[in-house]
């Protein structure tokens, strides 16, 4: 009995030390009740609650940032994670069973923070464990927590962040971002805002100094990505600081409404496609000769504009062109543009329904890749890189009712990010084509 009492006392003391807010509240409540009585304590507590309600109604954002998220994190730690983490870890094979210990050894929770959408749980890994062990267990942990998504990242040696998506900000269509108010001559072209990320942050596509590849099934929302970028750089197109070359092998079904924006345009004719690709590479080669020895990286200007090439359906260029020689020439020209264009102010955006190697043999040359709704986990790996699905890029689970939703992997970043692009309708495309037409159109 004495051993049980001592053990319980240590357990209660440890719990209070792990939850200092509860300890402080208990001390303040006891002192207040002893000094002024429990009636005044109830009145004071009611006043605090009423003040919180008023704060929430007047300024919800600051209330969430400064107060509610801390209270929510404490409650979730006490009543969810500390109680259930040992069971979740055991079910996900993250505990150690050793004959030297009577009980399984469970990875220790270090902290819990709670945002508007995500819960972030820091876990101290057991000796011998790797981040990879937790990445492989992410799907099991998501099922145990009964949430849609769980992502893993290492925050310090021996400590991983296990993130649970409690509420999904991308389930509903995201608002189309406003076109920048900056003039086209000075607007930034390195990060183009086209939607939102899974943590509520803006989704920005690196256009300058990068190439972009997007893959997704029919209806997955490739048009949202394409027109989201074109719409945001439209002021720079109008002043000549961005020169847009468009290839739409589907006969112009996607690209025709924006025709006034294009400096060069090809539909399904193989000769036209090769002509646009050849012109793009020729301008790149001419710029290389003009600026050789003067600069290592071109800053876009009206004199040296950002050359942007968009290929709406890559398969029609790299696989389905009727003439085999023209098909080989198209692949050669794309290879030159992708390997040499970044420093010269030439960017390439390509889209495909199938991410297989015969459709996109050059996918390793695209630093920025987007996986929209796909058929299988292997296709997510084809687009984003080996192991992307295990890291949480579950593109095969995207619903048909969420076009524009996908996963991205940026250069130098290991973990996929879940994003959704705003939808640009036909009326908006015609408006920007009318108001921001390219010079000479």
């Amino acid at each position: 009995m004495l051993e049980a009492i001592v053990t319980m006392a240590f357990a209660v003391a440890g719990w209070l030390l792990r939850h200092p807010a509860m300890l402080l509240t208990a001390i303040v409540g006891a002192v207040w009740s002893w000094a002024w009585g429990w009636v005044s304590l109830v009145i004071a507590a009611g006043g605090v609650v009423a003040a919180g309600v008023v704060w929430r109604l007047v300024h919800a954002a600051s209330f969430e940032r400064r107060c509610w998220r801390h209270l929510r994190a404490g409650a979730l730690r006490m009543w969810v994670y500390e109680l259930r983490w040992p069971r979740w870890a055991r079910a996900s094979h993250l505990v150690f069973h050793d004959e030297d210990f009577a009980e399984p050894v469970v990875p220790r929770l270090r902290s819990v923070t709670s945002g508007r959408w995500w819960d972030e749980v820091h876990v101290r890994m057991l000796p011998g464990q790797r981040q990879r062990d937790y990445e492989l267990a992410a799907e099991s942990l998501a099922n145990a927590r009964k949430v849609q998504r769980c992502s893993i990242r290492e925050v310090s040696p021996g400590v991983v962040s296990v993130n649970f998506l409690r509420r999904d900000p991308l389930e509903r269509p995201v608002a189309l971002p406003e076109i920048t108010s900056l003039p086209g001559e000075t607007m930034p072209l390195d990060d183009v805002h086209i939607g939102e990320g899974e943590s509520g942050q803006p989704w920005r596509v690196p256009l300058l100094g990068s190439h972009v590849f997007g893959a997704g099934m029919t209806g997955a929302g490739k048009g949202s990505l394409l027109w989201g970028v074109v719409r945001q750089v439209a002021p720079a197109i109008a002043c000549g600081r961005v020169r847009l070359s468009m290839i739409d092998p589907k006969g112009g079904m996607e690209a025709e409404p924006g025709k006034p924006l294009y400096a060069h345009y090809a539909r399904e004719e193989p000769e036209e496609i090769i002509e646009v690709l050849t012109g793009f590479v020729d301008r790149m080669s001419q710029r290389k000769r003009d600026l050789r020895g003067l600069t290592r990286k071109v800053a876009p200007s009206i004199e040296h504009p950002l050359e942007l090439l968009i290929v709406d359906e890559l398969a029609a260029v790299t696989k389905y062109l009727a003439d085999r020689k023209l098909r080989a020439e198209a692949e050669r020209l794309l290879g030159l543009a992708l390997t040499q264009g970044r420093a010269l102010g030439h960017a390439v955006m390509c889209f495909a329904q199938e991410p297989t190697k015969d459709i996109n043999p050059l996918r390793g040359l695209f630093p920025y890749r987007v996986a929209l709704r796909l058929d299988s986990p292997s296709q997510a790996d084809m687009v984003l890189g080996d192991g992307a699905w295990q890291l949480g890029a579950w593109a095969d689970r995207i619903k048909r009712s969420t076009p524009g939703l996908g996963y991205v992997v940026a250069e130098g970043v290991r973990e996929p990010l879940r994003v959704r692009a705003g939808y640009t309708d036909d009326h908006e495309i015609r408006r920007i084509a009318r108001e921001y037409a390219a010079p000479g159109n």
Side-chain angles (χ1 to χ4, degrees), residues 99-225:
E99 60 184 9
D100 295 333
F101 298 95
E103 296 293 333
V105 183
V106 180
R108 183 169 59 88
L109 292 182
R110 293 193 62 189
S111 65
V112 176
T113 56
S114 181
R116 188 178 180 186
W117 316 109
W118 289 82
D119 292 339
E120 183 176 358
V121 183
H122 286 190
V123 177
R124 167 68 68 179
M125 292 187 288
L126 297 175
Q129 286 187 329
R130 307 164 299 166
Q131 180 182 349
R132 181 68 173 168
D133 299 327
Y134 287 78
E135 291 168 353
L136 293 173
E139 187 177 6
S140 299
L141 291 171
N143 291 333
R145 177 69 173 88
K146 294 181 174 58
V147 296
Q148 180 179 352
R149 178 163 158 76
C150 172
S151 66
I152 308 295
R153 63 184 178 88
E154 188 171 10
V155 294
S156 64
V159 178
V160 293
S161 175
V162 183
N163 302 283
F164 296 101
L165 180 62
R166 195 180 64 256
R167 296 172 56 200
D168 188 3
L170 305 180
E171 187 173 1
R172 296 181 178 180
V174 302
L176 197 63
E178 295 291 333
I179 297 177
T180 178
S181 59
L182 296 174
E185 293 82 359
T186 60
M187 64 175 291
L189 298 173
D190 50 351
D191 291 312
V192 180
H193 183 196
I194 67 169
E196 292 183 8
E198 60 186 347
S199 298
Q201 78 278 22
W203 175 22
R204 301 183 185 276
V205 175
L207 192 60
L208 179 62
S210 186
H211 303 301
V212 180
F213 175 63
M217 302 170 63
T218 300
K222 296 186 293 295
S224 297
L225 176 56

Side-chain angles (χ1 to χ4, degrees), residues 323-359:
D323 190 310
R324 186 171 58 183
K325 291 183 179 180
L326 292 180
R327 189 164 64 245
E329 177 66 6
E331 187 174 327
R332 184 188 74 85
L333 293 169
L334 277 174
L336 288 173
L338 290 169
T339 53
Q340 301 179 21
R342 295 172 63 184
L344 293 166
H346 284 60
V348 179
M349 292 183 64
C350 293
F351 301 91
Q353 295 185 38
E354 298 180 63
T356 53
K357 190 172 182 179
D358 56 339
I359 297 297

